[in-house]
Amino acid sequence: MRLFATALLLAMAGLYIVSRHYSAGHPAWGYARAFAEAAMVGGLADWFAVTALFRRPLGLPIPHTAIIPENKDRIADTMAAFLQANFLTPAVVARRMQAMNLAQAAGNFLVEPGGGGPSRIRAGAAELFAEVLESLDPERLGGQVKAGLKSQLDRLEIAPLLGQMLEAAIADKRHLPVLESLLRWAGLTLEANEALVRGMIHDRANTLLRLTGLDEKLANSVLDGLYKLLAECIVDPDHPLRRKVEEGLEQLARDLSTDPEMRAKVERIKRDLLDNPAIGRWWEGVWERIRQSLIATARDPDAALSGQLGGALSELGTALREDALLQVQVNRFARRIMVGIATRYGSQIVRLVSETVRRWDARTVTDRIENAVGRDLQFIRINGTMVGGLVGVTIHLIDSL
C-alpha cells in the first residue's frame, strides 16, 4: 500500500508535467493541471502527516514529528490507564461475565474433548504442565512438598480426629469386619506357630509333668482352648470377648477426644514419626513416583481421559452442561472470582502492560504500531491525493467562470 500511494503521487507529478506542457493546446489540460497540482499538494501533505507519526520526514529535526517514538512512555501509561478504566473495572468484568456461560462451555469441553480447538488447548496445557514438572528439581521439590506436608500435619491435632473417626466406625458397625479379620489372622498365626507354642509349654513344664507325658496333654488343651475361643468369637457376635474388645475401642475413642494425657501421647507419637528420617525418605520416594506418573499422564492425556478419570470428567461435564442450577452456581462463583481478581490485581495487570511497552525501544514500538495500522494510514495518503485533486479541479472551475 505504501508503494501504491507513492506511485500514485508520482503519477500526479507526471500528469502535472504533461498537462503543463500541453496546457496551451486545449482548455481541458488546465483542469488536468489543476487536478495534478492539488493532488500532489494533498498527497505530500498527508505523506508528511503519516510519516510524522512514526519518524522524522527525510530525517529532518522538524518539531512535532516522530510523535510515537518521542512519546512512547506516555503512550504506555495512557494505554494502561485506558485498559484499567474500560476493561478491568469490577463493573465491566461483572457485566462481561454475566453474558458468558462458562459452566456450559466447560461441560461441553469435558464431554467432547476431541474437538479441534479444545483438543489443541488441552494438548498444549498438558505439554506445558509436563515441562514444568520436568524442569523442577525433584529433590528440592520433594523437600518442599515434604516440609509443607509436615508443617500442615504438625499444626493438625489428630487425636480428636482419630477419636471421632473411631466413634463413627463403631456406631456404623464398620469395625466388625476388621475385628473378624483380626480374629481370623490370630487363628492362622496360632496355627502357623503351633510348634513354637508347644515348645514353650514343654520348656516351662516341670520334670514330673514331662515324665508322665502330661505336658503334651497340657499343650493340646491350651491350643484347643485357644482355637475354640477364637472360633466362638468369630461366629458369635455377642461373645463376651468381642464385647470387651468393643468396650475397649469405645473407651479409646473417648480418650482420644477428651483425655489430655492420651491426646498428648498421640501428639508425641505423631511428632516422632514426622521427625523420623525414614518417613521423610519414604515420602520423597512416594512424591517422585507421583511426579513421574503426572508427567506420563500429561504426555498422554488421551490415555488418561479414557479410563476412570475420563469417565468421571465426562460425568462432570454432563452435569455442567445439563444442570441449569449448577450452571448458575458455577457461573456466579466464576464471576465473583474474576471480579475479585480485577479489584485486587487490576492495577498490577495494567502496570505489566505499561512496563512492557516502556521496555520496548522506540523502533520496536514504531514497527509494531505501524504494522498494525499501516495499511489504513496509506489509504489516508491515497485519499489525500484524490481529494486534493478534486478540490483543485473545483477551484479551477470556479476560477474559470
Side-chain angles (χ1 to χ4, degrees):
M1 292 305 299
R2 183 185 293 114
L3 291 174
F4 182 79
T6 303
L8 182 61
L9 181 60
L10 293 176
M12 293 301 103
L15 178 60
Y16 173 76
I17 294 173
V18 172
S19 60
R20 186 173 183 275
H21 181 73
Y22 293 103
S23 59
H26 193 278
W29 285 110
Y31 288 95
R33 176 179 176 179
F35 179 86
E37 187 174 9
M40 285 192 298
V41 173
L44 286 171
D46 285 337
W47 166 82
F48 180 88
V50 170
T51 303
L53 286 173
F54 302 101
R55 58 188 61 85
R56 300 194 183 279
L58 303 176
L60 300 175
I62 303 173
H64 303 293
T65 58
I67 294 173
I68 291 177
E70 292 294 328
N71 297 275
K72 175 177 68 70
D73 294 344
R74 183 165 59 85
I75 292 173
D77 294 338
T78 303
M79 185 186 304
F82 175 80
L83 288 174
Q84 185 171 13
N86 295 278
F87 295 95
L88 289 177
T89 61
V92 172
V93 173
R95 186 168 59 251
R96 178 60 177 167
M97 295 292 295
Q98 187 73 35
M100 299 173 63
N101 193 338
L102 290 179
Q104 188 179 50
N108 291 334
F109 169 69
L110 292 175
V111 174
E112 302 173 358
S119 179
R120 288 194 296 270
I121 294 174
R122 184 185 61 182
E127 181 65 23
L128 177 61
F129 180 63
E131 291 180 357
V132 169
L133 286 177
E134 287 181 339
S135 65
L136 296 175
D137 185 356
E139 294 183 1
R140 182 179 299 175
L141 181 62
Q144 291 176 349
V145 174
K146 181 181 68 176
L149 182 63
K150 180 180 178 181
S151 176
Q152 294 299 322
L153 289 177
D154 192 50
R155 287 197 293 265
L156 177 66
E157 189 175 4
I158 63 173
L161 180 62
L162 292 175
Q164 294 171 8
M165 292 173 59
L166 185 55
E167 286 180 352
I170 294 173
D172 295 339
K173 305 296 183 181
R174 292 197 299 269
H175 69 295
L176 295 180
V178 178
L179 180 58
E180 292 177 0
S181 297
L182 288 175
L183 291 171
R184 295 180 188 280
W185 172 82
L188 294 174
T189 303
L190 180 61
E191 184 179 1
N193 295 275
E194 185 174 319
L196 177 62
V197 175
R198 289 181 181 276
M200 292 173 61
I201 295 175
H202 291 322
D203 293 340
R204 285 165 174 75
N206 56 37
T207 304
L208 180 62
L209 290 176
R210 287 198 295 269
L211 289 176
T212 58
L214 293 177
D215 59 337
E216 184 64 24
K217 292 183 179 180
L218 179 61
N220 291 335
S221 298
V222 171
L223 289 171
D224 290 343
L226 290 174
Y227 284 133
K228 181 180 179 181
L229 178 64
L230 291 174
E232 290 175 351
C233 287
I234 292 174
V235 299
D236 184 6
D238 298 323
H239 194 277
L241 182 59
R242 291 182 62 154
R243 186 57 201 157
K244 285 292 183 181
V245 173
E246 291 181 351
E247 290 176 358
L249 291 174
E250 292 171 355
Q251 183 62 43
L252 176 61
R254 286 193 295 271
D255 291 343
L256 286 171
S257 299
T258 60
D259 187 6
E261 185 177 351
M262 175 63 73
R263 293 168 67 169
K265 185 183 298 185
V266 172
E267 287 300 306
R268 285 196 300 271
I269 295 173
K270 181 192 72 175
R271 283 193 290 269
D272 290 341
L273 288 174
L274 292 176
D275 294 335
N276 192 326
I279 297 294
R281 289 192 297 271
W282 170 80
W283 168 248
E284 289 177 357
V286 170
W287 167 250
E288 180 59 20
R289 288 193 293 273
I290 293 174
R291 190 178 75 93
Q292 293 296 335
S293 176
L294 290 174
I295 293 174
T297 301
R299 295 290 188 196
D300 190 10
D302 292 328
L305 292 178
S306 62
Q308 294 181 352
L309 176 61
L313 292 177
S314 180
E315 292 179 2
L316 175 60
T318 301
L320 287 172
R321 188 167 65 175
E322 298 178 358
D323 191 335
L325 180 60
L326 180 60
Q327 288 180 13
V328 171
Q329 295 174 343
V330 172
N331 289 334
R332 183 185 296 121
F333 176 75
R335 185 165 61 252
R336 289 176 178 173
I337 292 294
M338 296 305 297
V339 169
I341 291 175
T343 303
R344 295 182 180 89
Y345 306 108
S347 60
Q348 299 179 22
I349 294 172
V350 297
R351 191 183 306 125
L352 174 64
V353 175
S354 175
E355 292 175 353
T356 300
V357 176
R358 280 175 171 270
R359 284 196 297 269
W360 289 346
D361 58 86
R363 183 177 181 83
T364 300
V365 176
T366 300
D367 290 342
R368 294 191 177 186
I369 297 179
E370 189 173 15
N371 288 333
V373 298
R375 187 178 180 86
D376 292 327
L377 293 176
Q378 301 309 314
F379 271 113
I380 292 176
R381 292 178 56 192
I382 295 170
N383 292 336
T385 302
M386 301 306 296
V387 171
L390 293 175
V391 172
V393 169
T394 303
I395 294 175
H396 182 74
L397 176 62
I398 295 173
D399 185 61
S400 300
L401 295 177

